[in-house]
Amino acid sequence: MADRGALKFNQLQSRKKSLKFSRSAIHDWGLYAEEGISKGEMVIEYVGEVVRGSVADKREREYERQGIGSSYLFRIDEASVVDATKRGNLGRLINHSCDPNCTAKIITISGEKKIVIYARREIGVGDEITYDYHFPIEEDNKIPCLCGAVKCRGYLN
Ligand SMILES: C[S@@+](CC[C@H](N)C(=O)[O-])C[C@H]1O[C@@H](n2cnc3c(N)ncnc32)[C@H](O)[C@@H]1O
Ligand SMILES: [Zn+2]
């Protein structure tokens, strides 16, 4: 029998949340709710190509070389990364916030890992969807955070 995560995921597939992309005060484009979303509900899956960590590292350097400013690489674990740069859905447009209204969770469906974005509090119509990227802290190449939250940490990494 399917577990709770799988059941909820199937519900998300059949009744998708109404979302739209628009310009964001945080960065470039962002994703917005077009309907109210309750705490705990699934918002969207972060879809992309699943690649090994070493492949993702190579691609990241290549994307930087090509001047692709935004990173659409989402690390699942030590071994795998979801790359939404060339193949993805609207989930790739979600910006980071230090006080986000969503959280990203890894769930396993039929042995396949998936990244799913859940509401961590009530989301109103027109609210920008955000989650905490939890980028590892770096000494150099700091990316200033523009989330605007009162408790903003100042940097994405
Ligand atoms: C997955 S993209 C998010 C969508 C992006 N806004 C766009 O238009 O393509 C991730 C990139 O967006 C930017 N970004 C996201 N959240 C940010 C924040 N809070 N402050 C500054 N830049 C942010 C960073 O450049 C990051 O690498
Ligand atoms: Zn911030």
Tab-separated table of all heavy atoms in Angstrom, residues 93-115:
chain	number	residue	atom	x	y	z
A	93	LEU	N	11.644	28.300	-10.629
A	93	LEU	CA	11.604	29.760	-10.461
A	93	LEU	C	11.395	30.193	-9.009
A	93	LEU	O	11.260	31.385	-8.725
A	93	LEU	CB	10.507	30.368	-11.342
A	93	LEU	CG	10.742	30.237	-12.840
A	93	LEU	CD1	9.600	30.880	-13.605
A	93	LEU	CD2	12.072	30.889	-13.243
A	94	ILE	N	11.364	29.244	-8.094
A	94	ILE	CA	11.135	29.606	-6.686
A	94	ILE	C	12.407	30.203	-6.095
A	94	ILE	O	13.480	29.597	-6.161
A	94	ILE	CB	10.672	28.388	-5.862
A	94	ILE	CG1	9.410	27.774	-6.474
A	94	ILE	CG2	10.445	28.801	-4.402
A	94	ILE	CD1	8.937	26.500	-5.788
A	95	ASN	N	12.258	31.395	-5.533
A	95	ASN	CA	13.397	32.073	-4.915
A	95	ASN	C	13.601	31.624	-3.471
A	95	ASN	O	12.703	31.056	-2.847
A	95	ASN	CB	13.185	33.587	-4.976
A	95	ASN	CG	13.476	34.134	-6.352
A	95	ASN	OD1	14.471	33.766	-6.978
A	95	ASN	ND2	12.608	35.007	-6.840
A	96	HIS	N	14.801	31.942	-2.965
A	96	HIS	CA	15.145	31.613	-1.576
A	96	HIS	C	14.657	32.702	-0.634
A	96	HIS	O	14.712	33.893	-0.960
A	96	HIS	CB	16.674	31.496	-1.450
A	96	HIS	CG	17.155	31.657	-0.032
A	96	HIS	ND1	17.370	30.586	0.804
A	96	HIS	CD2	17.419	32.777	0.705
A	96	HIS	CE1	17.765	31.040	1.988
A	96	HIS	NE2	17.808	32.360	1.959
A	97	SER	N	14.207	32.296	0.550
A	97	SER	CA	13.964	33.267	1.624
A	97	SER	C	14.506	32.685	2.925
A	97	SER	O	14.452	31.464	3.139
A	97	SER	CB	12.481	33.576	1.785
A	97	SER	OG	12.290	34.383	2.942
A	98	CYS	N	15.024	33.579	3.780
A	98	CYS	CA	15.516	33.154	5.098
A	98	CYS	C	14.335	32.952	6.061
A	98	CYS	O	14.504	32.415	7.143
A	98	CYS	CB	16.486	34.191	5.649
A	98	CYS	SG	17.927	34.440	4.595
A	99	ASP	N	13.143	33.420	5.657
A	99	ASP	CA	11.921	33.192	6.442
A	99	ASP	C	10.841	32.746	5.453
A	99	ASP	O	9.898	33.480	5.156
A	99	ASP	CB	11.508	34.483	7.170
A	99	ASP	CG	10.287	34.265	8.045
A	99	ASP	OD1	9.976	33.103	8.375
A	99	ASP	OD2	9.626	35.272	8.396
A	100	PRO	N	11.002	31.531	4.902
A	100	PRO	CA	10.176	31.097	3.773
A	100	PRO	C	8.776	30.640	4.162
A	100	PRO	O	8.539	30.273	5.321
A	100	PRO	CB	10.966	29.915	3.228
A	100	PRO	CG	11.656	29.344	4.415
A	100	PRO	CD	11.953	30.489	5.331
A	101	ASN	N	7.860	30.617	3.173
A	101	ASN	CA	6.517	30.089	3.445
A	101	ASN	C	6.416	28.606	3.054
A	101	ASN	O	5.397	27.971	3.276
A	101	ASN	CB	5.426	30.935	2.761
A	101	ASN	CG	5.663	31.132	1.274
A	101	ASN	OD1	6.435	30.389	0.661
A	101	ASN	ND2	5.008	32.125	0.681
A	102	CYS	N	7.489	28.065	2.453
A	102	CYS	CA	7.502	26.647	2.070
A	102	CYS	C	8.785	25.972	2.508
A	102	CYS	O	9.753	26.637	2.916
A	102	CYS	CB	7.393	26.502	0.543
A	102	CYS	SG	5.766	26.927	-0.080
A	103	THR	N	8.786	24.668	2.388
A	103	THR	CA	9.974	23.883	2.695
A	103	THR	C	10.108	22.801	1.624
A	103	THR	O	9.088	22.326	1.110
A	103	THR	CB	9.863	23.301	4.126
A	103	THR	OG1	11.027	22.592	4.431
A	103	THR	CG2	8.689	22.383	4.296
A	104	ALA	N	11.335	22.451	1.281
A	104	ALA	CA	11.557	21.415	0.264
A	104	ALA	C	11.862	20.100	0.958
A	104	ALA	O	12.698	20.052	1.865
A	104	ALA	CB	12.718	21.826	-0.629
A	105	LYS	N	11.150	19.056	0.556
A	105	LYS	CA	11.388	17.732	1.154
A	105	LYS	C	11.678	16.717	0.066
A	105	LYS	O	11.149	16.822	-1.037
A	105	LYS	CB	10.154	17.259	1.929
A	105	LYS	CG	9.943	18.000	3.223
A	105	LYS	CD	8.819	17.360	4.018
A	105	LYS	CE	8.466	18.264	5.195
A	105	LYS	NZ	7.221	17.871	5.839
A	106	ILE	N	12.511	15.751	0.409
A	106	ILE	CA	12.810	14.676	-0.542
A	106	ILE	C	11.906	13.502	-0.176
A	106	ILE	O	11.933	13.033	0.966
A	106	ILE	CB	14.293	14.226	-0.433
A	106	ILE	CG1	15.262	15.419	-0.420
A	106	ILE	CG2	14.638	13.214	-1.527
A	106	ILE	CD1	15.333	16.243	-1.660
A	107	ILE	N	11.111	13.033	-1.128
A	107	ILE	CA	10.284	11.860	-0.877
A	107	ILE	C	10.633	10.791	-1.913
A	107	ILE	O	11.137	11.114	-2.988
A	107	ILE	CB	8.761	12.171	-0.887
A	107	ILE	CG1	8.292	12.675	-2.263
A	107	ILE	CG2	8.389	13.191	0.185
A	107	ILE	CD1	6.774	12.727	-2.381
A	108	THR	N	10.414	9.535	-1.550
A	108	THR	CA	10.729	8.449	-2.487
A	108	THR	C	9.426	7.818	-2.980
A	108	THR	O	8.605	7.374	-2.183
A	108	THR	CB	11.616	7.395	-1.799
A	108	THR	OG1	12.740	8.075	-1.247
A	108	THR	CG2	12.121	6.345	-2.773
A	109	ILE	N	9.250	7.831	-4.308
A	109	ILE	CA	8.061	7.244	-4.941
A	109	ILE	C	8.547	6.135	-5.866
A	109	ILE	O	9.318	6.406	-6.782
A	109	ILE	CB	7.281	8.294	-5.783
A	109	ILE	CG1	6.923	9.541	-4.971
A	109	ILE	CG2	6.050	7.676	-6.438
A	109	ILE	CD1	5.806	9.385	-3.980
A	110	SER	N	8.117	4.910	-5.612
A	110	SER	CA	8.537	3.741	-6.405
A	110	SER	C	10.058	3.733	-6.578
A	110	SER	O	10.560	3.568	-7.688
A	110	SER	CB	7.863	3.743	-7.780
A	110	SER	OG	6.497	3.945	-7.681
A	111	GLY	N	10.769	3.964	-5.499
A	111	GLY	CA	12.230	3.897	-5.506
A	111	GLY	C	12.906	5.107	-6.125
A	111	GLY	O	14.132	5.168	-6.221
A	112	GLU	N	12.124	6.078	-6.558
A	112	GLU	CA	12.681	7.268	-7.204
A	112	GLU	C	12.558	8.465	-6.266
A	112	GLU	O	11.467	8.720	-5.727
A	112	GLU	CB	11.870	7.538	-8.472
A	112	GLU	CG	12.645	8.197	-9.585
A	112	GLU	CD	11.720	8.511	-10.754
A	112	GLU	OE1	11.080	7.561	-11.268
A	112	GLU	OE2	11.629	9.683	-11.113
A	113	LYS	N	13.681	9.173	-6.069
A	113	LYS	CA	13.635	10.330	-5.177
A	113	LYS	C	13.065	11.544	-5.897
A	113	LYS	O	13.399	11.786	-7.050
A	113	LYS	CB	15.044	10.646	-4.663
A	113	LYS	CG	15.482	9.658	-3.610
A	113	LYS	CD	16.825	9.986	-3.051
A	113	LYS	CE	17.190	8.969	-2.001
A	113	LYS	NZ	18.601	9.002	-1.659
A	114	LYS	N	12.207	12.252	-5.192
A	114	LYS	CA	11.603	13.449	-5.772
A	114	LYS	C	11.694	14.594	-4.791
A	114	LYS	O	11.658	14.383	-3.582
A	114	LYS	CB	10.124	13.198	-6.091
A	114	LYS	CG	9.938	12.171	-7.181
A	114	LYS	CD	8.498	12.047	-7.579
A	114	LYS	CE	8.331	11.095	-8.732
A	114	LYS	NZ	8.882	11.600	-9.991
A	115	ILE	N	11.814	15.821	-5.326
A	115	ILE	CA	11.850	17.009	-4.475
A	115	ILE	C	10.462	17.636	-4.529
A	115	ILE	O	9.973	17.960	-5.608
A	115	ILE	CB	12.889	18.034	-4.987
A	115	ILE	CG1	14.276	17.401	-5.077
A	115	ILE	CG2	12.911	19.271	-4.096
A	115	ILE	CD1	15.248	18.180	-5.953
